[in-house]
Amino acid sequence: MGFRKDFLWGGALAANQAEGGWQADGKGMSVADVAMYKPSLDVRDYRANVHVSEEDIRAARKSRDDRWYPKRRGIDFYHRYPEDLDLFAGMGFSVLRVSIAWTRIFPDGEEKAPNEAGLAFYDHLFDAMKERGIEPLVTLSHYEMPLALCEKYNGWVDRRLVDLFVRFSVVCFERYKNKVKYWLGFNEIDSLFRHPFISAGILPERCGTHLRADLMQAMHHQLVASAIAAGECHKRVPGGKFGCMLTRLTTYPMTCAPEDMEAAAQANRENLLFTDVLMKGAYPPLMLRKWEREGICFHPLGDDYRILSENTADFLSFSYYMSLCTAAHPEKYESTAGNTVMGLKNPYLPISEWGWPIDPLGFKLSLLELYERYEKPLFVAENGIGARDVPDAEGKIHDTYRIRYLRAHLLAMCEAADEGADIFGYTSWAPIDMVSASTSQMSKRYGYIYVDLDDMGEGSGRRIVKDSYDWYRRVIESNGEVIPEA
Ligand code: BGP
């Protein structure tokens, strides 16, 4: 049966990992402009890699450097996007996921009027995509919120962020309502507990002993903000579709011991609570009860529950890279890294160089489980493998491992579609090499297109297509009927 005839094929970018131009045309500093490359750290220790302190912010504010702050330079997509869009069109993309950098529109998040130069940049980008037959899928918040909102309010702990985000969203809906149909609120809306600064502009050192309560409150604020934005999108964007976006951290029990099953069930419940709220319009009762028993919860304002129930998302998008295991007694087992998460190593699965387990069947299970749970259309917003791609003597990049990874995952996705999951699009992470979100490396490459830059930003910046480029072109050309071997 294969994929729907109108299936959208493409790739996903994030402004803070690709654009560069960190101070161009009035842009303000974002939380991503504070992220440093830390080569002395273990790349699997994501907490250390993403950790930011008050002192780090003060140093970043004073520095104009972009060698040690790779997200300030990205791959210069800000200036090179026409060339990159040509390359994406060369693969036959029908969709490209991008994010709008909040700080290009409201540099410090609270300006009276939006920054026209920032708005104009995305007008040009969306026009250039349309010229190439590429549909935008736009993320409003992809780990790049205004740094000033962290400094002034400690980010999303403060309820005022809801209105500031909604104001930013409404400006985008009104400006681009005739160019963008598909919208996402927050990238990986479940992630603020794993990296509060990147996802929500929260400095744990400011929270002290009430960190968990503050994170819960910030979670509630982001969920309400996402729901309000969904409502505004439906009001203002003709035919607009608003989706939520989850890190699907599919978790298996380490053994068939019932207590391991209990641990896995709870891990999956805590991952899916975010999409339960945004897709079903209410907090899951089991989680509310858990928080009540733990004596911790968020404090909703009067209308919040009505807002959540009346503004559910139209579709569910998610990132899937890997699966993990958990157990009642995790200390008994070997652990491994995942996408900004640690888990137990599955003895039946290989792992990537960054320790992420490779589990295509888990991708199929996740697709079927999400469709069964919500019975709404699904969009795969991120899937791919980070690897050290090295050009050979002729300058070619034989990324056979990436073709193998992607082929296995696309076959799994096709099986899920055949078994009834309504999947309407797939954007690889990533169409082109970019700066890694967790480690700020360039050397953790995901693209079908190699970018000649190293971790310190040295290099020509030249784009070189890898073996996987033509492979993906053939997949798209056949609408997934042909998924060639490596
Ligand atoms: C996801 C992010 C993406 C991307 C991806 C790969 O969590 O949404 O922005 O970065 O992870 O992770 P990394 O770049 O850390 O290897």
Side-chain angles (χ1 to χ4, degrees):
M1 200 181 96
F3 298 103
R4 331 176 359 167
K5 291 296 163 249
D6 60 352
F7 192 85
L8 295 169
W9 291 96
L13 304 170
N16 76 89
Q17 296 169 253
E19 288 180 1
W22 70 291
Q23 293 182 308
D25 302 327
K27 177 183 171 292
M29 270 184 83
S30 77
V31 294
D33 296 322
V34 178
M36 291 193 82
Y37 170 48
K38 303 171 185 173
S40 61
L41 294 180
D42 178 348
V43 293
R44 301 180 190 202
D45 182 356
Y46 85 87
R47 286 188 194 284
N49 274 285
V50 302
H51 177 73
V52 164
S53 65
E54 299 269 17
E55 178 48 38
D56 295 328
I57 292 176
R58 280 193 291 273
R61 277 282 184 200
K62 283 188 281 201
S63 169
R64 290 291 159 266
D65 168 90
D66 71 359
R67 285 163 44 81
W68 293 100
Y69 295 98
K71 294 175 182 175
R72 295 182 176 187
R73 50 176 147 88
I75 57 168
D76 195 26
F77 183 74
Y78 188 73
H79 298 104
R80 301 182 70 147
Y81 69 86
E83 167 197 359
D84 292 339
L85 292 180
D86 284 340
L87 288 167
F88 301 162
M91 286 186 271
F93 278 23
S94 48
V95 67
L96 179 68
R97 179 183 173 220
V98 296
S99 65
I100 292 177
W102 189 345
T103 51
R104 292 201 189 283
I105 314 304
F106 290 101
D108 287 336
E110 296 185 285
E111 288 76 7
K112 289 269 174 295
N115 173 32
E116 176 52 34
L119 289 169
F121 167 70
Y122 291 105
D123 263 326
H124 299 145
L125 176 63
F126 298 144
D127 292 346
M129 289 167 71
K130 184 175 174 65
E131 285 161 19
R132 295 161 174 84
I134 299 175
E135 180 89 45
L137 165 63
V138 174
T139 312
L140 288 160
S141 183
H142 195 137
Y143 301 160
E144 54 213 3
M145 66 180 277
L147 181 62
L149 299 181
C150 160
E151 294 165 313
K152 185 170 180 183
Y153 299 114
N154 201 21
W156 279 89
V157 174
D158 192 303
R159 177 81 190 203
R160 282 168 287 195
L161 268 284
V162 173
D163 293 345
L164 292 169
F165 174 77
V166 169
R167 181 165 166 259
F168 159 59
S169 303
V170 165
V171 163
C172 293
F173 295 147
E174 286 299 333
R175 180 72 174 227
Y176 307 118
K177 60 186 170 186
N178 298 316
K179 299 180 179 179
V180 180
K181 174 182 173 184
Y182 296 108
W183 297 87
L184 299 176
F186 295 83
N187 181 66
E188 300 183 329
I189 191 158
D190 55 295
S191 62
L192 75 87
F193 288 94
R194 297 195 300 278
H195 37 72
F197 178 73
I198 291 178
S199 299
I202 298 171
L203 286 174
E205 66 191 80
R206 286 192 186 173
C207 301
T209 57
H210 46 86
L211 174 59
R212 182 130 186 268
D214 283 348
L215 294 181
M216 291 280 286
Q217 195 61 41
M219 168 197 75
H220 179 66
H221 292 160
Q222 288 194 339
L223 290 168
V224 170
S226 183
I228 297 172
E232 291 296 337
C233 176
H234 293 145
K235 263 192 311 200
R236 299 168 186 273
V237 180
K241 297 292 179 196
F242 192 92
C244 57
M245 199 281 192
L246 172 77
T247 327
R248 185 59 189 113
L249 297 172
T250 301
T251 303
Y252 304 134
M254 197 65 195
T255 72
C256 54
E259 54 269 28
D260 285 356
M261 184 59 216
E262 182 183 34
Q266 186 55 31
N268 286 304
R269 192 174 296 130
E270 292 183 7
N271 182 225
L272 294 169
L273 93 90
F274 299 85
T275 36
D276 286 346
V277 172
L278 295 178
M279 299 296 288
K280 295 183 179 178
Y283 283 92
L286 294 183
M287 288 307 302
L288 287 173
R289 179 80 183 108
K290 177 177 189 290
W291 294 329
E292 186 188 345
R293 291 173 60 210
E294 290 169 353
I296 184 168
C297 202
F298 50 86
H299 303 290
L301 291 187
D303 253 1
D304 287 356
Y305 286 133
R306 179 189 60 74
I307 290 167
L308 292 173
S309 67
E310 291 178 0
N311 298 287
T312 53
D314 302 304
F315 64 94
L316 188 156
S317 74
F318 65 105
S319 59
Y320 177 91
Y321 292 92
M322 37 41 73
S323 63
L324 287 165
C325 292
T326 190
H329 302 288
E331 66 283 357
K332 290 163 53 180
Y333 303 99
E334 182 187 357
S335 67
T336 192
N339 181 11
T340 65
V341 70
M342 291 302 289
L344 302 184
K345 192 170 180 305
N346 187 326
Y348 297 95
L349 295 175
I351 59 173
S352 78
E353 195 177 333
W354 275 260
W356 296 16
I358 297 170
D359 180 11
L361 180 52
F363 185 38
K364 173 185 171 183
L365 300 177
S366 302
L367 283 159
L368 291 173
E369 170 202 50
L370 289 170
Y371 188 66
E372 189 171 39
R373 192 176 184 104
Y374 303 116
E375 294 189 9
K376 284 192 179 173
L378 302 178
F379 189 102
V380 179
E382 296 178 21
N383 173 244
I385 183 167
R388 288 182 197 283
D389 302 336
V390 179
D392 68 9
E394 287 81 49
K396 296 200 179 308
I397 296 114
H398 304 301
D399 55 338
T400 314
Y401 38 83
R402 178 164 298 108
I403 293 172
R404 285 205 188 101
Y405 174 99
L406 291 169
R407 179 172 192 271
H409 285 75
L410 291 184
L411 288 172
M413 185 168 71
C414 189
E415 280 182 26
D418 284 346
E419 293 183 25
D422 178 9
I423 311 161
F424 72 95
Y426 173 92
T427 46
S428 297
W429 189 274
I432 188 169
D433 294 349
M434 274 180 283
V435 177
S436 157
S438 54
T439 64
S440 289
Q441 293 170 293
M442 267 305 297
S443 51
K444 185 178 187 186
R445 298 176 184 277
Y446 282 89
Y448 298 102
I449 302 158
Y450 182 92
V451 176
D452 178 30
L453 291 171
D454 66 14
D455 289 333
M456 294 305 293
E458 300 296 327
S460 66
R462 198 158 57 92
R463 275 66 168 150
I464 306 165
V465 299
K466 307 175 190 175
D467 289 358
S468 55
Y469 180 92
D470 194 55
W471 173 85
Y472 196 40
R473 184 193 59 75
R474 291 163 62 200
V475 169
I476 295 175
E477 190 176 53
S478 71
N479 191 38
E481 295 287 322
V482 173
I483 306 180
E485 302 256 3

